[in-house]
Amino acid sequence: MKLIDGKALAANLRGEIAAGVARLKEERGVVPGLAVILVGENPASVSYVTAKEKACAAAGISSREIRLPETASERELLECIERQNDDPAIHGILVQLPLPKGFDEKKVIDAISPEKDVDGFTPVNVGRMMIGEPCFLPCTPHGIIKLIEFAGMDLRGRHAVVIGRSNIVGKPVAALLARRETNATVTLCHTGTPSIARFTREADVVIVAAGRPGTLTGDMLKPGAVVIDVGVNRVADATSARGYRLVGDADFASCAKVASAITPVPGGVGPMTITMLLWNTLESARNKSLICPIDARG
Ligand code: NAP
């Protein structure tokens, strides 16, 4: 069984992105700028935002951190997004989700200009992705496709099973897998699917994004299948100084006995999500319009 090392792939890609950022600065005097907006102080969100800012700095991308208190009004947040939309030094806008109670996430995402929507969450980008137009691909699904390629798997003609149908992971990754250039046959499972194992046992690759530890176990896999574990779950662990440890949605021990390759948690999908955010920010700075060919980092 092979571990699919998301950290190693992310490090390679971040090196390429940093080189692209340096070239853009040298040739056109443009420094990619990412506005990172955080409302409130949810500890997980604070640590995600910190990680994104560090990654930006390492790649030479300028990040602008904007923190609003939990008591901020939705109008203040929308005005803040509007200012970033209008600022030519900003090429990407990220609003860290989830937002505190009382904010209408859909309205907030809709306020981001599609041309700066480096998370790929606005309806314009989602729609363009579905019809195969140039767009910002959502970071986690795009990172997953890169990881599968990195694992050496040719998806053409293969059966991919996705567990989870969220707008940020399950649905878009299923759409990317089914694109003509990827050409996998896709089954999308969710809580309404009776006997998920019936499908996963026939899968060449299983992508599990349910947010529940143990959703996928070794007895649900075909021997030699590839497992991409998207889940990030905290489970209590008295032996850890933090009092918890992170686990995925796949039961690693049993899946590792049957799979040919699996992503670890942490160190699999997570580093790729941030990497694809940097990628999209560079693409946005490089292209003055929404035209951003998926594999044209130059
Ligand atoms: P989400 O919005 O909660 O969606 C979870 C999906 O999984 C839902 O569609 C749900 O089905 C389905 N589901 C839940 N339990 C299931 C079960 N037992 N069997 C089958 N389907 C089940 O979660 P998300 O935002 O997609 O995130 C999923 C996980 O990935 C979370 O652990 C999250 O932290 C992690 N994540 C990681 C990254 C990263 O960069 N590493 C990025 C994003 C998310 P219904 O629709 O029927 O309710």
Side-chain angles (χ1 to χ4, degrees):
M1 196 279 305
K2 183 170 101 178
L3 267 188
I4 306 173
D5 187 348
K7 271 194 201 163
L9 174 59
N12 285 347
L13 288 174
R14 287 184 199 193
E16 286 181 34
I17 292 166
V21 169
R23 228 173 11 250
L24 185 65
K25 189 175 174 190
E26 193 182 302
E27 290 169 6
R28 292 179 19 206
V30 174
V31 177
L34 176 70
V36 181
I37 305 172
L38 174 63
V39 185
E41 287 175 12
N42 174 314
S45 294
V46 171
S47 78
Y48 285 137
V49 161
T50 307
K52 287 168 187 174
E53 286 168 348
K54 267 195 192 165
C56 279
I61 292 173
S62 152
S63 68
R64 176 184 295 169
E65 182 185 331
I66 301 161
R67 287 200 182 202
L68 297 178
E70 194 153 344
T71 51
S73 67
E74 191 170 275
R75 172 180 283 273
E76 281 174 84
L77 175 57
L78 294 175
E79 284 172 359
C80 171
I81 293 171
E82 204 47 50
R83 283 194 294 278
Q84 312 312 312
N85 283 340
D86 293 340
D87 186 338
I90 292 297
H91 305 95
I93 302 170
L94 177 156
V95 177
Q96 185 63 46
L97 301 178
L99 288 167
K101 279 202 180 77
F103 286 86
D104 179 345
E105 277 186 5
K106 188 182 169 310
K107 196 167 162 190
V108 169
I109 289 169
D110 280 356
I112 299 171
S113 160
E115 283 158 32
K116 298 189 179 185
D117 169 31
V118 286
D119 261 337
F121 288 168
T122 60
V124 169
N125 275 303
V126 174
R128 292 179 73 107
M129 176 187 73
M130 291 306 293
I131 59 172
E133 291 285 310
C135 63
F136 292 116
L137 293 181
C139 301
T140 302
H142 193 187
I144 291 169
I145 299 293
K146 292 272 170 212
L147 275 171
I148 298 172
E149 286 169 7
F150 176 66
M153 185 177 198
D154 183 352
L155 281 161
R156 281 174 295 181
R158 300 302 194 97
H159 182 200
V161 169
V162 178
I163 306 176
R165 59 176 158 190
S166 72
N167 289 337
I168 63 165
V169 188
K171 277 192 272 193
V173 84
L176 293 182
L177 289 161
R179 287 184 309 178
R180 193 171 291 276
E181 59 263 45
T182 314
N183 243 4
T185 300
V186 183
T187 302
L188 181 58
C189 299
H190 43 73
T191 55
T193 308
S195 182
I196 287 174
R198 204 179 103 215
F199 300 100
T200 54
R201 282 193 195 116
E202 293 189 350
D204 300 302
V205 55
V206 180
I207 292 130
V208 56
R212 307 263 187 291
T215 301
L216 184 71
T217 47
D219 60 328
M220 296 168 72
L221 291 173
K222 175 166 96 174
V226 171
V227 174
I228 305 292
D229 190 354
V230 188
V232 180
N233 307 290
R234 287 183 180 191
V235 296
D237 182 355
T239 65
S240 150
R242 298 182 295 189
Y244 67 87
R245 68 192 153 86
L246 295 180
V247 299
D249 289 346
D251 173 53
F252 188 86
S254 63
C255 288
K257 285 188 188 140
V258 187
S260 62
I262 184 167
T263 55
V265 177
V269 175
M272 288 303 295
T273 295
I274 297 186
T275 303
M276 302 329 288
L277 174 75
L278 304 178
W279 172 308
N280 281 348
T281 305
L282 171 58
E283 285 304 322
S284 180
R286 204 178 255 162
N287 302 284
K288 288 215 163 63
S289 72
L290 198 60
I291 308 302
C292 55
I294 287 155
D295 270 309
R297 281 158 299 143

